[in-house]
Structures are given as C-alpha cells and as structure tokens.
Amino acid sequence: MRALAWQAGAVALVLALLVVLVVQTAANLRLRGLASGFGFLGRATGFEISASPLAYSPRDSYARALAVGLLNTVRVALLAIVLATALGLVLGIARLSRVRIVATLARAYVEVVRNTPLLLQLLFWYSLSQALPGPRDALRPLPGVFLCIRGLHLPGLAWHGGTRWLVAAAGALAIVVGLLRGISRRQRDRAGRALPTARLAAGAAAVLLVGAIAAGHPAVTLDRPALMRFGFEGGMSLTPEFAALLIGLSTNTAAFIGEIVRGGILAVDRGQTEAAAALGMSRARVLRLVVLPQALRVALPPTTTQYLNLTKNSSLAVAIGYPDLMSIADTTLNQTGQAVEVIALVMTVYLALSLVIALLMSAAEP
C-alpha cells in the first residue's frame, strides 16, 4: 500500500504540474492577444516549396505544407539509413583489415568525420555543389545524365496507372516477411536451422511485383531530362540541398556505425573464427556465415540509436535550405505566430518517427 501511495502521489504531482503549465500558457497567450488552437492548419500558406513529393501550391493549407515537409524528412532519412548502413559495414570491416593502408584510411575517415560537427559537414557538401557549372555548361558524366548547379538530372521511369496494386503488393510483402521471420525463428529454435528468409522474401517480392504489373497494367515509359529555356525538364532530379543533406547524414552516421560494427566483430570469440578456418572455410565465408551473424546481436542496439540520431539530425536541413519538416514548421511559425502549437506538433511527429524506427529495429533483432 505504501508503494502504491507513493506512485499515486507521483502521478498526481505530474498531472498537477501539467495543468499549471497549460493554464499559465493559456493565460499568457490571452494577455498578449495571441491566438491558440490548431485552426491555422486549414488556412492557405502563401509560400512556395522548392522540392515537393506531393502536388502543392501556395493556395494549399499549412497542414498540406507540413505533410510535404514530413515526406521530405522521411525520404532523406530512409535513404541515408540505407547508405550509412552499407558504408558503415564496409568501414567496420576495413578497420580490421590486415592490409595496413586500408585500415589506416578507414581509421582516418572515422576520426575526421566523428570529430567535426555535422552542421559543418553539411555546409561543406553544399558549398561543393555551388561550385558546379550552370545548366548550359552542365557536366555529362554518363549519356543522358547532367550535373550542374541546380542538381543532378538523370533519366527516370514514368509509371502511369496500377499504383494501387503496387501499394497492395508492398503491404502484402511486409506481411509475408513478418510471417517468414516468425516461422524462421521457430524453425531455428526447434531444429537448430533457420529458413533462408532473404531468398524467400526476394522470391515473394518478385512474384508480388509480377502480379501487381499483371493486374494493374501500368504504362511504363523512359523519361529523359532535356535542357529548356529555364533549365532541365523531365526525368529524375536531385536538388543540391537534398544531395548535400543525404551525403552529409549518411557519411557522418557511417563513421559511427563503422565503429559499432568493428566492436561487434571483436566481441565474437576468436575460437569461432579458428574453428571455421579449421573446417577449410575461406575468410570471406567465415566473415559472412560465422562472424557477422554473431556480431549482429551486439551491433544492432547501438545501431538503432544511430538511426534515431540520423532521423533527428535531418532537422539541420534548415541550414542549407532543404524543405524538411523543421524548415517548413519554422516558416509556419513565423507566419502564424502560434509557436506552442507548431513546436508541439513537430515534437510529436519526431517522437512518432523515432518510436516507429525503434519498434522496427526491435522486431529485427535476432
């Protein structure tokens, strides 16, 4: 009873503090004549957004503008997570290489990137993009690919129709992967041998993609960029702001993931490697089949922390002009003056993103 009383008192104290905070905030807003509430989300914004994955115009609402910023944040965060994971894995293995020059270069990269501010790195990558030529003198590293001060322009596939079937196939694939992981775990616990989950998932993805194409009958065309009067039109394009943010986030996080991978590999008992070598396995097979699966158990929890940091660090995009969630929220705050609502909304969104990433990574733990 004493423990319950202490817990009830603590909860009551926290609730009382929250009530006092809300009442005091509302009184201060009324005293200064500031509006409150989320009604501003339905008003027209009146400002442009340079990079928008959704159809957007200045006549749209603040809610749609914030949705555009959220999609931009999610897009750059997901791509940066993939690139940082791949580069970090290579760095972690390179740090343990027997070739001295490889290990030295990997260590130099890690030390330089980890000991310089991320904001400075973002500004560095963005300044490099500003040294590129104009659209008329664009570089052509490959046929149909153009690189200029306005970004990277390359051919892309234009997909018309069948989008719903693709979304349904993606949802079905997620369910199949979840079922395969559960069955594989039970199989491993019962028989000591897991299912080839990656191969089965790849086969299921191929079957679902073929089924979505057959059911939706989409029209797929190759759209090439072309130089017009005011720049390139058509194809796919990466803006300098997006490219700088993507490169900065991925290269910075990769340095930390590389050290995590190195620590996970060193945590595997040397006897495991020696036993695998005694069976005649090559170093590559030992690393892939023996060392990395065991190192994954050690490396996954701190890697999750780096994924969370990467997602939250994407808010630094406001420094280089990329229209992410924080940048659009800052513009919304300046125009509406409703700082409490805007900041609370942004905090809630970032919290939700972090919880989703943590949940997915927890489900991926072996």
Side-chain angles (χ1 to χ4, degrees):
M1 294 298 295
R2 183 182 302 173
L4 290 176
W6 277 108
Q7 295 177 43
V11 172
L13 179 61
V14 171
L15 291 177
L17 291 175
L18 288 176
V19 170
V20 170
L21 179 63
V22 171
V23 172
Q24 186 64 36
T25 302
N28 291 335
L29 291 175
R30 286 195 302 269
L31 182 64
R32 290 164 175 79
L34 298 177
S36 61
F38 292 92
F40 71 95
L41 292 175
R43 301 202 303 263
T45 60
F47 60 82
E48 293 279 357
I49 297 179
S50 57
S52 174
L54 295 176
Y56 173 82
S57 70
R59 296 186 299 273
D60 289 327
S61 64
Y62 284 105
R64 190 171 185 85
L66 291 172
V68 170
L70 174 59
L71 289 179
N72 283 336
T73 296
V74 171
R75 179 174 60 174
V76 73
L78 290 179
L79 289 175
I81 284 174
V82 174
L83 294 177
T85 303
L87 182 57
L89 181 62
V90 173
L91 284 173
I93 297 174
R95 290 275 278 118
L96 300 173
S97 175
R98 295 179 181 178
V99 181
R100 185 176 296 274
I101 184 63
V102 174
T104 303
L105 290 175
R107 181 176 181 178
Y109 173 89
V110 169
E111 295 299 331
V112 170
V113 172
R114 287 201 309 170
N115 292 287
T116 53
L118 174 58
L119 180 58
L120 182 62
Q121 296 175 31
L122 293 179
L123 294 175
F124 168 75
W125 291 112
Y126 183 68
S127 64
L128 287 182
S129 68
Q130 300 306 298
L132 293 172
R136 297 291 176 182
D137 302 317
L139 304 177
R140 299 185 181 184
L142 293 173
V145 178
F146 302 91
L147 181 62
C148 64
I149 194 172
R150 295 187 181 179
L152 177 65
H153 304 269
L154 62 163
L157 294 178
W159 190 288
H160 306 284
T163 306
R164 295 181 179 179
W165 288 101
L166 280 179
V167 173
L173 179 61
I175 296 174
V176 169
V177 171
L179 292 175
L180 286 175
R181 286 185 59 83
I183 296 173
S184 179
R185 286 183 178 180
R186 290 193 294 270
Q187 178 75 11
R188 182 185 59 192
D189 296 339
R190 184 173 61 252
R193 184 176 182 181
L195 295 175
T197 308
R199 297 178 183 178
L200 293 175
V207 172
L208 289 172
L209 178 61
V210 172
I213 293 175
H217 299 290
V220 182
T221 58
L222 182 62
D223 190 14
R224 299 178 181 273
L227 181 61
M228 300 299 181
R229 182 176 180 181
F230 298 104
F232 288 95
E233 295 182 5
M236 298 173 56
S237 63
L238 298 179
T239 63
E241 295 80 10
F242 177 82
L245 182 62
L246 178 63
I247 296 173
L249 289 175
S250 57
T251 53
N252 179 270
T253 308
F256 294 91
I257 294 179
E259 289 297 279
I260 293 171
V261 171
R262 184 176 72 92
I265 293 175
L266 292 177
V268 178
D269 189 81
R270 184 178 295 272
Q272 299 283 328
T273 306
E274 294 174 351
L279 295 175
M281 298 176 65
S282 63
R283 291 192 63 196
R285 287 179 60 84
V286 171
L287 181 66
R288 182 170 61 89
L289 300 177
V290 179
V291 177
L292 287 181
Q294 298 183 71
L296 182 64
R297 295 178 178 270
V298 180
L300 204 55
T303 301
T304 301
T305 302
Q306 294 304 318
Y307 290 168
L308 298 177
N309 290 337
L310 184 152
T311 304
K312 291 178 289 187
N313 287 338
S314 65
S315 60
L316 293 175
V318 67
I320 58 176
Y322 179 69
D324 74 321
L325 176 63
M326 193 64 198
S327 176
I328 295 178
D330 184 60
T331 304
T332 302
L333 188 153
N334 292 330
Q335 288 192 354
T336 62
Q338 299 188 242
V340 175
E341 292 84 354
V342 173
I343 293 175
L345 188 62
V346 173
M347 289 178 61
T348 302
V349 171
Y350 276 111
L351 176 62
L353 289 177
S354 299
L355 291 177
V356 169
I357 293 173
L359 180 63
L360 293 176
M361 293 301 295
S362 177
E365 291 183 5

